[in-house]
Amino acid sequence: MDNVKPRVRVPKTAKKDEVITIKTLISHPMESGQRKDKDGKLIPREIINHFTATFNGKPVVDVALEPAISTNPYIEFDVKIPESGEFVFTWQDDDGSTYEDKQSIEVA
């Protein structure tokens, strides 16, 4: 899907073992498959069904999303930062598409 765009906000720096807040949002219609278009035909279901975040390859968050989640799902979570590294955020779509964003953080 061309109009899907992940956005992530991670601080650029943190102190060792500081707890930071990460905010994510993905632009996505989250179509439940129950609505009809103007011609009366069902609009096919298309939702983001899974979200994960890893830090330096270790799992941080693993979320299953259901059709009741609103358009443009927003997920916010806190994480303790032990070292400098890279986050990888992944969203999986019903159609098999995967959307990914990477963000680095430096421990000062």
Side-chain angles (χ1 to χ4, degrees), residues 41-91:
K41 296 179 182 175
L42 276 178
I43 300 171
R45 175 184 152 137
E46 190 165 359
I47 66 168
I48 297 287
N49 58 36
H50 199 208
F51 169 78
T52 60
T54 61
F55 182 68
N56 289 341
K58 298 176 185 170
V60 175
V61 172
D62 190 335
V63 179
L65 301 174
E66 303 295 333
I69 302 293
S70 69
T71 301
N72 304 327
Y74 172 80
I75 299 173
E76 177 180 321
F77 56 95
D78 295 332
V79 62
K80 189 176 185 179
I81 302 297
E83 61 195 15
S84 298
E86 181 180 67
F87 284 97
V88 177
F89 305 93
T90 306
W91 293 261

Side-chain angles (χ1 to χ4, degrees), residues 10-12 14 20-21 24 26-27 31-32 34 36-39 45 51 53-54 86 93 103 106:
V10 175
K12 297 290 181 206
I20 64 166
T21 299
T24 72
I26 187 163
S27 301
E31 191 57 58
S32 69
Q34 298 177 353
K36 294 180 179 177
D37 63 14
K38 64 182 178 186
D39 298 327
R45 175 184 152 137
F51 169 78
T54 61
E86 181 180 67
D93 202 322
Q103 300 279 326
E106 193 76 30

